[in-house]
Amino acid sequence: MKHHIQGVHHFALSVPDIDVARRFYLELLGAEEISTADWEAGNPWIDAIVGLKDSAAKSFIARLKNVQVEVFEYTSPAAPPQDPDRPVNLHGYTHLGFQVDDIQACYERMVEAGLTFHTAPDLSTIETDEQGNKSGFAATYGRDFFGNVFEILEIHPNDHIKPV
């Protein structure tokens, strides 16, 4: 019997302020918080899983349509400061991509909330035919409140592009 991956259950990230992370994921992206958890230092089972000694954290999991995000604020051990301008060419995860239905409105709402983007979305990459059908896509990279890179994409199907 072969064992296969069933799909992506969640992605996770560590943040310096879980309440600010809630603002990004719940308020700006519209995720639904489905659980919370926290643990104190001295839990050998969790320490073994996360590979840290005397770890302590608070966390939440939120559902974003077809995937979940797990967010941790570690209170122990203390993390070094995060580089809010970490270049995306460094090895490791570079960004998270979120498909949106209106990239311009999403971009404007996020800028109004104080987020920064590398560039505004270029809407010229989306074409509309005589019947009003759209094809193509627009995308841009932004930074969350901590400097983590995310992408917003508006995708309209054609022979080469398939939405989620």
Side-chain angles (χ1 to χ4, degrees):
M1 175 180 187
K2 290 184 178 182
H3 298 279
H4 299 284
I5 299 293
Q6 295 177 355
V8 175
H9 181 268
H10 71 274
F11 63 91
L13 68 154
S14 175
V15 299
D17 186 326
I18 202 162
D19 293 325
V20 172
R22 275 189 172 94
R23 183 173 174 224
F24 179 70
Y25 286 99
L26 304 182
E27 293 177 27
L28 290 175
L29 292 179
E32 173 193 3
E33 187 171 35
I34 59 173
S35 70
T36 62
D38 61 302
W39 71 91
E40 298 297 323
N43 186 323
W45 180 73
I46 292 178
D47 284 355
I49 292 171
V50 300
L52 297 170
K53 183 173 173 42
D54 295 324
S55 69
K58 46 191 170 181
S59 70
F60 71 89
I61 296 177
R63 181 171 288 121
L64 285 158
K65 301 262 183 186
N66 64 335
V67 73
Q68 298 171 135
V69 57
E70 185 174 23
V71 179
F72 296 94
E73 179 183 339
Y74 279 89
T75 55
S76 175
Q82 181 176 356
D83 177 0
D85 298 315
R86 181 183 184 274
V88 297
N89 66 319
L90 296 181
H91 296 173
Y93 295 107
T94 64
H95 70 279
L96 306 170
F98 300 109
Q99 186 173 334
V100 301
D101 56 8
D102 184 336
I103 194 170
Q104 188 63 37
C106 183
Y107 168 80
E108 290 171 5
R109 187 175 75 251
M110 290 181 166
V111 167
E112 185 176 301
L115 298 178
T116 61
F117 285 81
H118 297 173
T119 187
D122 179 1
L123 301 179
S124 70
T125 57
I126 297 175
E127 297 178 2
T128 305
D129 67 17
E130 294 170 0
Q131 290 77 34
N133 300 313
K134 295 182 178 183
S135 70
F137 75 97
T140 188
Y141 281 13
R143 302 259 176 176
D144 71 10
F145 295 112
F146 311 110
N148 297 309
V149 179
F150 65 92
E151 180 179 17
I152 52 175
L153 305 96
E154 180 179 337
I155 301 172
H156 299 280
N158 63 29
D159 291 340
H160 306 290
I161 301 169
K162 305 292 182 223
V164 181

